[in-house]
Amino acid sequence: MNILSLESKLNSIDITELLLKSIGSKNCIELENYVNNKFVVVDYYLKNNIDVAYKNVLDILGVSFENKRASKLLSRISLELCVKNQENLEKCLDILKVAIVYSPGNPLLYYNTGLVLFKLDKLEDSLLYFKIGLENSNTPQDTYLNLIGISNVYSTVKCWVETLYYLNKANDIKPHDSECLCMLALGYTECRRTYLAGTLYNEAIKYSNNDIQKSNVYMNYGHLFAYNGNNRMALECYNNSIKYNPKNILAFQNKLLTMCYNYDGNNTVLYLQHILINKLL
């Protein structure tokens, strides 16, 4: 039987009648056959149409409410659909909330829901989901992701002590993660612990995996020097940031601002920097 014929046969089944037959029955052959055939349809569409696969997994869970295989598939497909629909955050949120109903202990679902809410600027809800994700985490990676999520919320509202608390816990899990080290350095800068921040920035540069990452670290390191009034070192950091990522607009803007503080009467240099920034915008 081809897949279209199988789908047609399954769609013709009266689901209410099927469920009534299965209630109180330890082994309902009709229900078992329906679920098994639905999995065949799901496996087929996983390769070429994830949206149809998603609908069929929901059909399975609509008759086999605690089906572990279907619940795991729903979590996996939901995360893939969020990647596919990442420009539509509200749709992603709806997909993830449905998945959580069937897999309430999955920390990745909570993390991604928290991330979507964070992007929607719903910070209190975002924090709640990250913390539930943290409570449900059973691997270092899941724990790390939710700790980073929590620290991002706190840093957004400038609660720096809370930010540093969760970042240090994340750093214990991944002590050589450049992004975490850079975030820690920024937090300590805001708390006036600039010497410690400088050490962390140097560590972040050392463990950067790519030029974009290294560019971002140097840009933030420049912020530290500018904060301390060391314009020469700030400019050096901004130049390094631009060297590793010539399209880093914020590094150009920070450099231009610092040059104004360090103005030596050379209007040509300032004008050339303006031209470079305008080309990027």
Side-chain angles (χ1 to χ4, degrees):
M1 184 183 296
N2 65 41
I3 199 70
L4 293 177
S5 299
L6 181 58
E7 285 184 282
S8 178
K9 178 183 175 182
L10 292 171
N11 290 337
S12 68
I13 294 173
D14 187 327
I15 300 300
T16 302
E17 186 66 27
L18 182 63
L19 285 169
L20 289 172
K21 280 184 182 181
S22 68
I23 292 173
S25 173
K26 291 184 179 179
N27 291 302
C28 179
I29 300 301
E30 291 94 334
L31 179 61
E32 186 177 333
N33 287 338
Y34 176 84
V35 169
N36 288 338
N37 284 322
K38 273 289 183 179
F39 274 122
V40 172
V41 175
V42 170
D43 288 340
Y44 174 81
Y45 281 112
L46 276 174
K47 301 170 187 175
N48 51 47
N49 194 327
I50 195 170
D51 292 284
V52 177
Y54 176 76
K55 177 185 177 300
N56 280 279
V57 172
L58 287 177
D59 288 344
I60 294 170
L61 289 166
V63 297
S64 184
F65 311 121
E66 297 178 344
N67 191 297
K68 290 183 179 179
R69 180 185 172 191
S71 296
K72 287 181 180 179
L73 266 174
L74 184 67
S75 295
R76 171 192 153 190
I77 293 171
S78 295
L79 292 173
E80 289 182 22
L81 282 172
C82 285
V83 173
K84 178 183 175 182
N85 296 284
Q86 57 188 294
E87 300 301 321
N88 188 342
L89 293 176
E90 294 291 351
K91 182 175 182 178
C92 291
L93 189 58
D94 291 340
I95 290 169
L96 288 165
K97 285 185 174 180
V98 171
I100 286 173
V101 170
Y102 292 102
S103 297
N106 188 325
L108 270 180
L109 294 177
Y110 288 109
Y111 168 73
N112 281 279
T113 305
L115 194 60
V116 171
L117 288 164
F118 181 77
K119 290 178 179 179
L120 288 169
D121 204 30
K122 297 180 180 180
L123 298 182
E124 289 185 5
D125 291 340
S126 174
L127 183 62
L128 173 64
Y129 276 91
F130 285 138
K131 289 200 170 185
I132 296 173
L134 183 61
E135 287 296 316
N136 284 278
S137 295
N138 47 30
T139 68
Q141 177 64 11
D142 292 340
T143 302
Y144 176 82
L145 287 173
N146 282 291
L147 286 169
I148 292 296
I150 293 168
S151 64
N152 280 333
V153 175
Y154 280 124
S155 66
T156 300
V157 294
K158 301 190 184 303
C159 292
W160 297 112
V161 175
E162 292 89 339
T163 300
L164 290 171
Y165 174 80
Y166 287 102
L167 281 175
N168 273 294
K169 293 185 77 170
N171 184 244
D172 287 340
I173 298 171
K174 291 188 177 183
H176 298 154
D177 185 274
S178 179
E179 290 185 9
C180 183
L181 288 166
C182 188
M183 291 168 67
L184 269 170
L186 179 61
Y188 280 117
T189 300
E190 295 294 337
C191 290
R192 311 296 193 271
R193 302 295 188 271
T194 53
Y195 175 77
L196 181 54
T199 302
L200 288 163
Y201 277 129
N202 285 322
E203 287 288 296
I205 292 166
K206 177 181 176 181
Y207 293 112
S208 293
N209 294 321
N210 54 66
D211 287 351
I212 298 297
Q213 201 173 68
K214 193 169 288 188
S215 173
N216 289 334
V217 175
Y218 270 117
M219 183 184 68
N220 283 291
Y221 203 178
H223 167 69
L224 169 65
F225 285 115
Y227 187 84
N228 284 336
N230 190 338
N231 293 327
R232 184 184 64 81
M233 286 302 298
L235 282 172
E236 185 177 317
C237 284
Y238 295 141
N239 282 331
N240 280 326
S241 178
I242 294 163
K243 179 180 75 174
Y244 286 107
N245 179 15
K247 294 184 178 180
N248 192 331
I249 296 173
L250 191 55
F252 267 112
Q253 291 174 332
N254 287 346
K255 177 182 177 180
L256 183 60
L257 182 62
T258 305
M259 289 175 71
C260 290
Y261 282 116
N262 211 31
Y263 182 58
D264 61 0
N266 191 339
N267 290 323
T268 303
V269 174
L270 286 176
Y271 175 74
L272 289 174
Q273 293 301 315
H274 272 296
I275 295 297
L276 287 171
I277 293 171
N278 288 333
K279 284 182 178 180
L280 293 174
L281 294 175

